[in-house]
Amino acid sequence: TQLGLYELKNGRLSRNPRFSQLDRVGIFDIKQHPNGDLYVVTYGNGICRISRNNLHFYNSRNILPTDLVFSIRIAKDGSIYLASDGKGVFILKDEEITVLDQDDGLLNNIVYYIYECRNGEIWICTDEGLSIYKDGKFQNIKKIDDISFYSTLWVVEDDAQQKYLGTGNGIIIATQRGDKIQARQLTTEDGLPSIEINQGACLKDKAGNIWFGTLKGVGCYFPENRFSMNVLPKVMICNVYSMDRNKLLNDEKGSLD
């Protein structure tokens, strides 16, 4: 939360006094390392590793260039990728930090989200669009055809390796064909609750469905359908009244009097 780290235990939320150093700090992300350690991302105090109830901070007082971190991604090789607000991408490995920023080819230094794809590519969501990092090189995408990748907030991959990107203007579905990427956009016309997608609010469930958060509620996309469909709910009209509040619909007959 914006007020620190809480534990859910026996159906109740409470602060753990052992983690008091995280009180009143905005918590933006939490991930578990394969070794069991928890990494807690804060916006204002870097990241915190919790190992056997012991806390260790990585921040500007030791090795991080900034304390403003949005999210974390733990790669298959154990490397820890951090998305920072204004300083690019930090890679933490063996207690050392590597920085990737615009000087290295990153599209923008404001980074919201990082995702490791099955093919080994690292998709980096920035304020100006998408950066794809592989073999030490960047491929930057601001627009495909008329679809803008501006303010890309998250990315998730389905079982067919199709990517879904949440943006400030709906969801982009990206399909790779070799080195080329085809894109199509989903908006409220396709059934989205809102085109304003929330930062980091995405999940692929066990059935392969893509869940996401918007400013007007949660949505779900079913990849097996391959097309988003608007389905109007069935409505049962029970009563109809005139302006003078006289009942016009007969409940028993189901017809107008």
mmCIF file of all heavy atoms in Angstrom, residues 27-68:
data_model
loop_
_atom_site.group_PDB
_atom_site.id
_atom_site.type_symbol
_atom_site.label_atom_id
_atom_site.label_comp_id
_atom_site.label_asym_id
_atom_site.label_seq_id
_atom_site.Cartn_x
_atom_site.Cartn_y
_atom_site.Cartn_z
ATOM 1 N N ILE A 27 4.547 1.013 -1.325
ATOM 2 C CA ILE A 27 4.974 -0.279 -1.862
ATOM 3 C C ILE A 27 4.341 -0.457 -3.242
ATOM 4 O O ILE A 27 3.123 -0.488 -3.371
ATOM 5 C CB ILE A 27 4.549 -1.441 -0.940
ATOM 6 C CG1 ILE A 27 5.040 -1.211 0.502
ATOM 7 C CG2 ILE A 27 5.071 -2.759 -1.494
ATOM 8 C CD1 ILE A 27 6.526 -1.171 0.654
ATOM 9 N N PHE A 28 5.168 -0.589 -4.270
ATOM 10 C CA PHE A 28 4.661 -0.660 -5.639
ATOM 11 C C PHE A 28 4.671 -2.067 -6.227
ATOM 12 O O PHE A 28 3.941 -2.344 -7.157
ATOM 13 C CB PHE A 28 5.476 0.273 -6.543
ATOM 14 C CG PHE A 28 4.973 1.690 -6.560
ATOM 15 C CD1 PHE A 28 4.515 2.296 -5.406
ATOM 16 C CD2 PHE A 28 4.959 2.418 -7.731
ATOM 17 C CE1 PHE A 28 4.055 3.599 -5.409
ATOM 18 C CE2 PHE A 28 4.505 3.727 -7.755
ATOM 19 C CZ PHE A 28 4.047 4.319 -6.594
ATOM 20 N N ASP A 29 5.504 -2.959 -5.698
ATOM 21 C CA ASP A 29 5.602 -4.302 -6.284
ATOM 22 C C ASP A 29 6.275 -5.235 -5.285
ATOM 23 O O ASP A 29 7.075 -4.799 -4.455
ATOM 24 C CB ASP A 29 6.410 -4.255 -7.582
ATOM 25 C CG ASP A 29 6.189 -5.471 -8.472
ATOM 26 O OD1 ASP A 29 5.331 -6.311 -8.126
ATOM 27 O OD2 ASP A 29 6.867 -5.572 -9.518
ATOM 28 N N ILE A 30 5.944 -6.526 -5.377
ATOM 29 C CA ILE A 30 6.570 -7.554 -4.542
ATOM 30 C C ILE A 30 6.764 -8.802 -5.405
ATOM 31 O O ILE A 30 5.840 -9.237 -6.090
ATOM 32 C CB ILE A 30 5.712 -7.919 -3.310
ATOM 33 C CG1 ILE A 30 5.442 -6.686 -2.450
ATOM 34 C CG2 ILE A 30 6.397 -8.994 -2.476
ATOM 35 C CD1 ILE A 30 4.480 -6.953 -1.302
ATOM 36 N N LYS A 31 7.962 -9.371 -5.382
ATOM 37 C CA LYS A 31 8.236 -10.607 -6.102
ATOM 38 C C LYS A 31 9.060 -11.534 -5.214
ATOM 39 O O LYS A 31 9.816 -11.081 -4.348
ATOM 40 C CB LYS A 31 9.007 -10.339 -7.385
ATOM 41 C CG LYS A 31 8.236 -9.594 -8.470
ATOM 42 C CD LYS A 31 7.184 -10.463 -9.100
ATOM 43 C CE LYS A 31 6.622 -9.803 -10.371
ATOM 44 N NZ LYS A 31 6.005 -8.489 -10.142
ATOM 45 N N GLN A 32 8.909 -12.849 -5.445
ATOM 46 C CA GLN A 32 9.691 -13.825 -4.695
ATOM 47 C C GLN A 32 10.761 -14.435 -5.585
ATOM 48 O O GLN A 32 10.487 -14.887 -6.699
ATOM 49 C CB GLN A 32 8.804 -14.929 -4.128
ATOM 50 C CG GLN A 32 9.539 -15.883 -3.198
ATOM 51 C CD GLN A 32 8.612 -16.831 -2.457
ATOM 52 O OE1 GLN A 32 7.569 -17.219 -2.970
ATOM 53 N NE2 GLN A 32 8.992 -17.199 -1.247
ATOM 54 N N HIS A 33 11.983 -14.441 -5.093
ATOM 55 C CA HIS A 33 13.114 -15.033 -5.805
ATOM 56 C C HIS A 33 13.033 -16.556 -5.684
ATOM 57 O O HIS A 33 12.470 -17.076 -4.714
ATOM 58 C CB HIS A 33 14.417 -14.517 -5.195
ATOM 59 C CG HIS A 33 15.622 -14.743 -6.038
ATOM 60 N ND1 HIS A 33 16.316 -15.931 -6.048
ATOM 61 C CD2 HIS A 33 16.275 -13.910 -6.914
ATOM 62 C CE1 HIS A 33 17.332 -15.834 -6.883
ATOM 63 N NE2 HIS A 33 17.342 -14.621 -7.423
ATOM 64 N N PRO A 34 13.558 -17.304 -6.656
ATOM 65 C CA PRO A 34 13.563 -18.772 -6.543
ATOM 66 C C PRO A 34 14.208 -19.287 -5.259
ATOM 67 O O PRO A 34 13.883 -20.390 -4.794
ATOM 68 C CB PRO A 34 14.359 -19.212 -7.775
ATOM 69 C CG PRO A 34 14.113 -18.139 -8.786
ATOM 70 C CD PRO A 34 14.049 -16.869 -7.979
ATOM 71 N N ASN A 35 15.115 -18.508 -4.640
ATOM 72 C CA ASN A 35 15.735 -18.943 -3.392
ATOM 73 C C ASN A 35 14.856 -18.682 -2.161
ATOM 74 O O ASN A 35 15.262 -18.982 -1.041
ATOM 75 C CB ASN A 35 17.108 -18.281 -3.202
ATOM 76 C CG ASN A 35 17.019 -16.768 -3.030
ATOM 77 O OD1 ASN A 35 15.956 -16.205 -2.809
ATOM 78 N ND2 ASN A 35 18.163 -16.103 -3.140
ATOM 79 N N GLY A 36 13.672 -18.127 -2.386
ATOM 80 C CA GLY A 36 12.729 -17.891 -1.291
ATOM 81 C C GLY A 36 12.704 -16.468 -0.765
ATOM 82 O O GLY A 36 11.778 -16.083 -0.045
ATOM 83 N N ASP A 37 13.714 -15.667 -1.090
ATOM 84 C CA ASP A 37 13.741 -14.285 -0.616
ATOM 85 C C ASP A 37 12.625 -13.464 -1.274
ATOM 86 O O ASP A 37 12.269 -13.695 -2.436
ATOM 87 C CB ASP A 37 15.089 -13.635 -0.945
ATOM 88 C CG ASP A 37 16.232 -14.220 -0.130
ATOM 89 O OD1 ASP A 37 15.956 -14.970 0.815
ATOM 90 O OD2 ASP A 37 17.400 -13.907 -0.458
ATOM 91 N N LEU A 38 12.105 -12.506 -0.511
ATOM 92 C CA LEU A 38 11.131 -11.568 -1.040
ATOM 93 C C LEU A 38 11.828 -10.256 -1.384
ATOM 94 O O LEU A 38 12.679 -9.780 -0.633
ATOM 95 C CB LEU A 38 10.014 -11.301 -0.024
ATOM 96 C CG LEU A 38 8.977 -12.392 0.205
ATOM 97 C CD1 LEU A 38 7.986 -11.935 1.262
ATOM 98 C CD2 LEU A 38 8.246 -12.741 -1.085
ATOM 99 N N TYR A 39 11.447 -9.684 -2.511
ATOM 100 C CA TYR A 39 11.948 -8.377 -2.907
ATOM 101 C C TYR A 39 10.769 -7.411 -2.947
ATOM 102 O O TYR A 39 9.815 -7.618 -3.698
ATOM 103 C CB TYR A 39 12.652 -8.446 -4.256
ATOM 104 C CG TYR A 39 14.027 -9.074 -4.172
ATOM 105 C CD1 TYR A 39 14.183 -10.460 -4.179
ATOM 106 C CD2 TYR A 39 15.170 -8.284 -4.058
ATOM 107 C CE1 TYR A 39 15.441 -11.040 -4.083
ATOM 108 C CE2 TYR A 39 16.433 -8.852 -3.969
ATOM 109 C CZ TYR A 39 16.565 -10.225 -3.982
ATOM 110 O OH TYR A 39 17.806 -10.792 -3.873
ATOM 111 N N VAL A 40 10.852 -6.381 -2.123
ATOM 112 C CA VAL A 40 9.781 -5.405 -1.993
ATOM 113 C C VAL A 40 10.236 -4.103 -2.646
ATOM 114 O O VAL A 40 11.275 -3.538 -2.283
ATOM 115 C CB VAL A 40 9.431 -5.163 -0.511
ATOM 116 C CG1 VAL A 40 8.307 -4.137 -0.384
ATOM 117 C CG2 VAL A 40 9.041 -6.473 0.165
ATOM 118 N N VAL A 41 9.452 -3.642 -3.624
ATOM 119 C CA VAL A 41 9.782 -2.421 -4.349
ATOM 120 C C VAL A 41 9.091 -1.240 -3.688
ATOM 121 O O VAL A 41 7.873 -1.239 -3.494
ATOM 122 C CB VAL A 41 9.338 -2.533 -5.821
ATOM 123 C CG1 VAL A 41 9.518 -1.205 -6.541
ATOM 124 C CG2 VAL A 41 10.124 -3.625 -6.524
ATOM 125 N N THR A 42 9.858 -0.230 -3.331
ATOM 126 C CA THR A 42 9.291 0.980 -2.746
ATOM 127 C C THR A 42 9.507 2.154 -3.693
ATOM 128 O O THR A 42 10.445 2.163 -4.488
ATOM 129 C CB THR A 42 9.933 1.322 -1.390
ATOM 130 O OG1 THR A 42 11.195 1.962 -1.602
ATOM 131 C CG2 THR A 42 10.134 0.072 -0.546
ATOM 132 N N TYR A 43 8.623 3.123 -3.599
ATOM 133 C CA TYR A 43 8.806 4.356 -4.363
ATOM 134 C C TYR A 43 9.269 5.427 -3.390
ATOM 135 O O TYR A 43 8.473 6.118 -2.778
ATOM 136 C CB TYR A 43 7.491 4.765 -5.041
ATOM 137 C CG TYR A 43 7.656 5.892 -6.034
ATOM 138 C CD1 TYR A 43 8.100 5.632 -7.328
ATOM 139 C CD2 TYR A 43 7.382 7.204 -5.676
ATOM 140 C CE1 TYR A 43 8.263 6.663 -8.247
ATOM 141 C CE2 TYR A 43 7.543 8.237 -6.587
ATOM 142 C CZ TYR A 43 7.978 7.964 -7.873
ATOM 143 O OH TYR A 43 8.137 8.991 -8.773
ATOM 144 N N GLY A 44 10.586 5.471 -3.205
ATOM 145 C CA GLY A 44 11.152 6.441 -2.279
ATOM 146 C C GLY A 44 12.292 5.901 -1.448
ATOM 147 O O GLY A 44 13.077 6.670 -0.878
ATOM 148 N N ASN A 45 12.433 4.554 -1.399
ATOM 149 C CA ASN A 45 13.527 3.970 -0.628
ATOM 150 C C ASN A 45 14.127 2.755 -1.327
ATOM 151 O O ASN A 45 14.572 1.812 -0.681
ATOM 152 C CB ASN A 45 13.054 3.603 0.780
ATOM 153 C CG ASN A 45 14.210 3.400 1.747
ATOM 154 O OD1 ASN A 45 15.337 3.833 1.497
ATOM 155 N ND2 ASN A 45 13.958 2.721 2.856
ATOM 156 N N GLY A 46 14.109 2.771 -2.652
ATOM 157 C CA GLY A 46 14.701 1.672 -3.405
ATOM 158 C C GLY A 46 13.941 0.370 -3.242
ATOM 159 O O GLY A 46 12.714 0.363 -3.211
ATOM 160 N N ILE A 47 14.670 -0.734 -3.132
ATOM 161 C CA ILE A 47 14.041 -2.038 -2.929
ATOM 162 C C ILE A 47 14.586 -2.669 -1.650
ATOM 163 O O ILE A 47 15.690 -2.352 -1.202
ATOM 164 C CB ILE A 47 14.261 -2.992 -4.127
ATOM 165 C CG1 ILE A 47 15.741 -3.383 -4.261
ATOM 166 C CG2 ILE A 47 13.751 -2.367 -5.406
ATOM 167 C CD1 ILE A 47 15.976 -4.500 -5.251
ATOM 168 N N CYS A 48 13.782 -3.562 -1.090
ATOM 169 C CA CYS A 48 14.155 -4.240 0.155
ATOM 170 C C CYS A 48 14.099 -5.742 -0.054
ATOM 171 O O CYS A 48 13.101 -6.270 -0.557
ATOM 172 C CB CYS A 48 13.200 -3.825 1.277
ATOM 173 S SG CYS A 48 13.477 -4.711 2.840
ATOM 174 N N ARG A 49 15.170 -6.424 0.310
ATOM 175 C CA ARG A 49 15.192 -7.890 0.275
ATOM 176 C C ARG A 49 14.880 -8.403 1.672
ATOM 177 O O ARG A 49 15.538 -8.024 2.648
ATOM 178 C CB ARG A 49 16.556 -8.407 -0.175
ATOM 179 C CG ARG A 49 16.588 -9.937 -0.358
ATOM 180 C CD ARG A 49 17.986 -10.441 -0.656
ATOM 181 N NE ARG A 49 18.831 -10.369 0.532
ATOM 182 C CZ ARG A 49 20.108 -10.007 0.521
ATOM 183 N NH1 ARG A 49 20.677 -9.627 -0.616
ATOM 184 N NH2 ARG A 49 20.811 -9.992 1.629
ATOM 185 N N ILE A 50 13.873 -9.279 1.766
ATOM 186 C CA ILE A 50 13.520 -9.893 3.045
ATOM 187 C C ILE A 50 13.962 -11.353 2.993
ATOM 188 O O ILE A 50 13.441 -12.148 2.216
ATOM 189 C CB ILE A 50 12.011 -9.805 3.323
ATOM 190 C CG1 ILE A 50 11.563 -8.339 3.328
ATOM 191 C CG2 ILE A 50 11.673 -10.462 4.654
ATOM 192 C CD1 ILE A 50 10.068 -8.161 3.515
ATOM 193 N N SER A 51 14.948 -11.686 3.788
ATOM 194 C CA SER A 51 15.494 -13.037 3.828
ATOM 195 C C SER A 51 15.492 -13.532 5.270
ATOM 196 O O SER A 51 16.215 -12.994 6.114
ATOM 197 C CB SER A 51 16.919 -13.048 3.259
ATOM 198 O OG SER A 51 17.482 -14.345 3.312
ATOM 199 N N ARG A 52 14.644 -14.515 5.546
ATOM 200 C CA ARG A 52 14.521 -15.057 6.896
ATOM 201 C C ARG A 52 14.256 -13.934 7.912
ATOM 202 O O ARG A 52 14.873 -13.882 8.982
ATOM 203 C CB ARG A 52 15.775 -15.840 7.274
ATOM 204 C CG ARG A 52 16.032 -17.050 6.373
ATOM 205 C CD ARG A 52 17.295 -17.785 6.779
ATOM 206 N NE ARG A 52 17.542 -18.932 5.903
ATOM 207 C CZ ARG A 52 18.606 -19.727 5.997
ATOM 208 N NH1 ARG A 52 19.523 -19.478 6.930
ATOM 209 N NH2 ARG A 52 18.753 -20.748 5.171
ATOM 210 N N ASN A 53 13.343 -13.056 7.526
ATOM 211 C CA ASN A 53 12.908 -11.932 8.373
ATOM 212 C C ASN A 53 13.984 -10.854 8.548
ATOM 213 O O ASN A 53 13.795 -9.915 9.334
ATOM 214 C CB ASN A 53 12.421 -12.410 9.741
ATOM 215 C CG ASN A 53 11.147 -13.238 9.634
ATOM 216 O OD1 ASN A 53 10.306 -12.974 8.773
ATOM 217 N ND2 ASN A 53 11.015 -14.235 10.485
ATOM 218 N N ASN A 54 15.108 -10.996 7.847
ATOM 219 C CA ASN A 54 16.121 -9.946 7.865
ATOM 220 C C ASN A 54 15.939 -9.041 6.655
ATOM 221 O O ASN A 54 15.703 -9.520 5.541
ATOM 222 C CB ASN A 54 17.527 -10.551 7.848
ATOM 223 C CG ASN A 54 17.823 -11.347 9.109
ATOM 224 O OD1 ASN A 54 17.530 -10.900 10.208
ATOM 225 N ND2 ASN A 54 18.410 -12.526 8.949
ATOM 226 N N LEU A 55 16.049 -7.730 6.863
ATOM 227 C CA LEU A 55 15.837 -6.752 5.813
ATOM 228 C C LEU A 55 17.159 -6.157 5.332
ATOM 229 O O LEU A 55 18.014 -5.817 6.159
ATOM 230 C CB LEU A 55 14.925 -5.621 6.304
ATOM 231 C CG LEU A 55 13.406 -5.850 6.236
ATOM 232 C CD1 LEU A 55 12.984 -7.020 7.103
ATOM 233 C CD2 LEU A 55 12.665 -4.585 6.644
ATOM 234 N N HIS A 56 17.288 -6.088 4.015
ATOM 235 C CA HIS A 56 18.447 -5.408 3.430
ATOM 236 C C HIS A 56 17.956 -4.516 2.304
ATOM 237 O O HIS A 56 17.246 -4.967 1.404
ATOM 238 C CB HIS A 56 19.464 -6.403 2.889
ATOM 239 C CG HIS A 56 20.631 -5.739 2.212
ATOM 240 N ND1 HIS A 56 21.644 -5.126 2.915
ATOM 241 C CD2 HIS A 56 20.936 -5.588 0.896
ATOM 242 C CE1 HIS A 56 22.525 -4.628 2.074
ATOM 243 N NE2 HIS A 56 22.119 -4.887 0.842
ATOM 244 N N PHE A 57 18.323 -3.229 2.349
ATOM 245 C CA PHE A 57 17.877 -2.271 1.356
ATOM 246 C C PHE A 57 18.952 -2.033 0.305
ATOM 247 O O PHE A 57 20.144 -1.929 0.605
ATOM 248 C CB PHE A 57 17.523 -0.936 2.026
ATOM 249 C CG PHE A 57 16.200 -0.948 2.739
ATOM 250 C CD1 PHE A 57 16.115 -1.372 4.053
ATOM 251 C CD2 PHE A 57 15.044 -0.542 2.088
ATOM 252 C CE1 PHE A 57 14.897 -1.385 4.714
ATOM 253 C CE2 PHE A 57 13.824 -0.551 2.737
ATOM 254 C CZ PHE A 57 13.745 -0.977 4.052
ATOM 255 N N TYR A 58 18.490 -1.950 -0.953
ATOM 256 C CA TYR A 58 19.313 -1.477 -2.055
ATOM 257 C C TYR A 58 18.723 -0.127 -2.465
ATOM 258 O O TYR A 58 17.588 -0.063 -2.956
ATOM 259 C CB TYR A 58 19.273 -2.440 -3.240
ATOM 260 C CG TYR A 58 19.764 -3.833 -2.936
ATOM 261 C CD1 TYR A 58 18.875 -4.827 -2.513
ATOM 262 C CD2 TYR A 58 21.106 -4.170 -3.088
ATOM 263 C CE1 TYR A 58 19.317 -6.112 -2.243
ATOM 264 C CE2 TYR A 58 21.558 -5.459 -2.825
ATOM 265 C CZ TYR A 58 20.650 -6.424 -2.400
ATOM 266 O OH TYR A 58 21.085 -7.702 -2.131
ATOM 267 N N ASN A 59 19.463 0.938 -2.242
ATOM 268 C CA ASN A 59 18.955 2.265 -2.550
ATOM 269 C C ASN A 59 20.097 3.208 -2.902
ATOM 270 O O ASN A 59 21.237 2.762 -3.120
ATOM 271 C CB ASN A 59 18.113 2.805 -1.380
ATOM 272 C CG ASN A 59 18.835 2.725 -0.047
ATOM 273 O OD1 ASN A 59 20.046 2.896 0.025
ATOM 274 N ND2 ASN A 59 18.091 2.436 1.017
ATOM 275 N N SER A 60 19.791 4.516 -2.955
ATOM 276 C CA SER A 60 20.803 5.491 -3.368
ATOM 277 C C SER A 60 21.915 5.657 -2.333
ATOM 278 O O SER A 60 22.940 6.274 -2.629
ATOM 279 C CB SER A 60 20.139 6.842 -3.637
ATOM 280 O OG SER A 60 19.499 7.330 -2.473
ATOM 281 N N ARG A 61 21.708 5.098 -1.146
ATOM 282 C CA ARG A 61 22.760 5.186 -0.133
ATOM 283 C C ARG A 61 23.820 4.101 -0.305
ATOM 284 O O ARG A 61 24.844 4.126 0.380
ATOM 285 C CB ARG A 61 22.140 5.123 1.270
ATOM 286 C CG ARG A 61 21.369 6.369 1.639
ATOM 287 C CD ARG A 61 20.837 6.317 3.053
ATOM 288 N NE ARG A 61 19.773 5.341 3.214
ATOM 289 C CZ ARG A 61 18.493 5.578 2.899
ATOM 290 N NH1 ARG A 61 18.143 6.740 2.395
ATOM 291 N NH2 ARG A 61 17.566 4.660 3.082
ATOM 292 N N ASN A 62 23.547 3.135 -1.208
ATOM 293 C CA ASN A 62 24.585 2.146 -1.495
ATOM 294 C C ASN A 62 24.824 1.988 -3.000
ATOM 295 O O ASN A 62 25.789 2.539 -3.519
ATOM 296 C CB ASN A 62 24.309 0.805 -0.798
ATOM 297 C CG ASN A 62 22.861 0.355 -0.889
ATOM 298 O OD1 ASN A 62 22.289 0.312 -1.961
ATOM 299 N ND2 ASN A 62 22.277 0.020 0.267
ATOM 300 N N ILE A 63 23.942 1.302 -3.732
ATOM 301 C CA ILE A 63 24.309 1.026 -5.129
ATOM 302 C C ILE A 63 23.306 1.493 -6.170
ATOM 303 O O ILE A 63 23.629 1.488 -7.369
ATOM 304 C CB ILE A 63 24.580 -0.484 -5.329
ATOM 305 C CG1 ILE A 63 23.334 -1.316 -5.019
ATOM 306 C CG2 ILE A 63 25.747 -0.950 -4.491
ATOM 307 C CD1 ILE A 63 23.518 -2.796 -5.338
ATOM 308 N N LEU A 64 22.092 1.889 -5.806
ATOM 309 C CA LEU A 64 21.114 2.300 -6.809
ATOM 310 C C LEU A 64 21.278 3.776 -7.181
ATOM 311 O O LEU A 64 21.540 4.614 -6.312
ATOM 312 C CB LEU A 64 19.685 2.074 -6.307
ATOM 313 C CG LEU A 64 19.206 0.632 -6.106
ATOM 314 C CD1 LEU A 64 17.708 0.611 -5.843
ATOM 315 C CD2 LEU A 64 19.532 -0.236 -7.311
ATOM 316 N N PRO A 65 21.094 4.130 -8.452
ATOM 317 C CA PRO A 65 21.170 5.538 -8.861
ATOM 318 C C PRO A 65 20.001 6.383 -8.353
ATOM 319 O O PRO A 65 20.103 7.608 -8.335
ATOM 320 C CB PRO A 65 21.158 5.462 -10.398
ATOM 321 C CG PRO A 65 21.610 4.073 -10.722
ATOM 322 C CD PRO A 65 21.066 3.230 -9.615
ATOM 323 N N THR A 66 18.888 5.748 -7.998
ATOM 324 C CA THR A 66 17.722 6.477 -7.502
ATOM 325 C C THR A 66 16.924 5.582 -6.554
ATOM 326 O O THR A 66 17.036 4.348 -6.602
ATOM 327 C CB THR A 66 16.810 6.941 -8.651
ATOM 328 O OG1 THR A 66 15.685 7.667 -8.112
ATOM 329 C CG2 THR A 66 16.272 5.768 -9.440
ATOM 330 N N ASP A 67 16.116 6.221 -5.706
ATOM 331 C CA ASP A 67 15.242 5.477 -4.792
ATOM 332 C C ASP A 67 13.850 5.285 -5.376
ATOM 333 O O ASP A 67 13.000 4.646 -4.748
ATOM 334 C CB ASP A 67 15.114 6.222 -3.458
ATOM 335 C CG ASP A 67 16.415 6.233 -2.674
ATOM 336 O OD1 ASP A 67 17.172 5.258 -2.789
ATOM 337 O OD2 ASP A 67 16.660 7.214 -1.946
ATOM 338 N N LEU A 68 13.590 5.843 -6.562
ATOM 339 C CA LEU A 68 12.260 5.808 -7.168
ATOM 340 C C LEU A 68 12.172 4.628 -8.128
ATOM 341 O O LEU A 68 12.641 4.691 -9.271
ATOM 342 C CB LEU A 68 11.975 7.119 -7.891
ATOM 343 C CG LEU A 68 12.126 8.390 -7.047
ATOM 344 C CD1 LEU A 68 11.824 9.619 -7.882
ATOM 345 C CD2 LEU A 68 11.237 8.337 -5.813
#
